[in-house]
Every structure is written in structure tokens, then in C-alpha cells.
Amino acid sequence: MILYAGILASIVLPYCWIKGIEHLDPVRCSMVMNLLPVFTAVLAVLILHETLSSYHVIGSVMALMGVMLSQEPALWNTPALWNKPSRHPR
């Protein structure tokens, strides 16, 4: 566990994060930062053979939905979505 926390979480993850910021813009990387706990849970299950509980799954789904919603600005910024024309002419 010390090697996992010391090497992967303290060295490998920040290195990959910095390389990602070099290739993408910081705004896009900050949205994906919410997925770090999801990746941590997946790695804990795969490497440390931890048990996956229902709250892990619920939290992971919520984090994934949040990132997916934040990646669709056209859906939220479309004025036609909020100002639908009425069926009856005035």
C-alpha cells in the first residue's frame, strides 16, 4: 500500500496530469479532475483487490454524469432550448 500511495499517487499521477495540461488547455483538464476518485477506485479494485461498494458506484456515476454534462456546453447555452415557440400564434 505504501508503494501504491507513494509511487502511483504521488509521482505517476502528477506527472500524467502535467503532461495532460501540456497537450490540452487547463480548463478542459480541470473538468476531468473530477474523475480522479473514479480512477482511484478502479485501480484500488484492480491492484489492491478492494471490494467495490454501492456508494463507490453511485459516486462514480455522479462524477461521470457531471463531467459529461460539463462537456456539452451547446446543450446548456442554446437559447432555443429555453425559449421554445408556442404552438398557438398570437
Side-chain angles (χ1 to χ4, degrees):
M1 270 216 242
I2 293 173
L3 289 177
Y4 172 76
I7 294 174
L8 288 178
S10 299
I11 297 171
V12 175
L13 182 65
Y15 175 77
C16 292
W17 182 257
I18 290 170
K19 288 297 177 185
I21 290 176
E22 286 177 2
H23 293 288
L24 300 171
D25 60 334
V27 174
R28 186 171 290 251
C29 290
S30 67
M31 285 188 274
V32 180
M33 190 168 85
N34 293 321
L35 294 178
L36 293 179
V38 176
F39 294 136
T40 302
V42 169
L43 287 175
V45 169
L46 295 176
I47 295 173
L48 300 176
H49 305 291
E50 295 284 332
T51 57
L52 193 64
S53 300
S54 60
Y55 56 85
H56 292 117
V57 175
I58 293 169
S60 296
V61 168
M62 290 175 65
L64 287 170
M65 292 299 295
V67 170
M68 286 172 49
L69 287 173
S70 68
Q71 294 294 319
E72 288 296 327
L75 178 68
W76 303 110
N77 292 332
T78 305
L81 182 68
W82 305 109
N83 300 324
K84 291 183 180 179
S86 64
R87 292 184 179 188
H88 305 291
R90 293 182 185 169

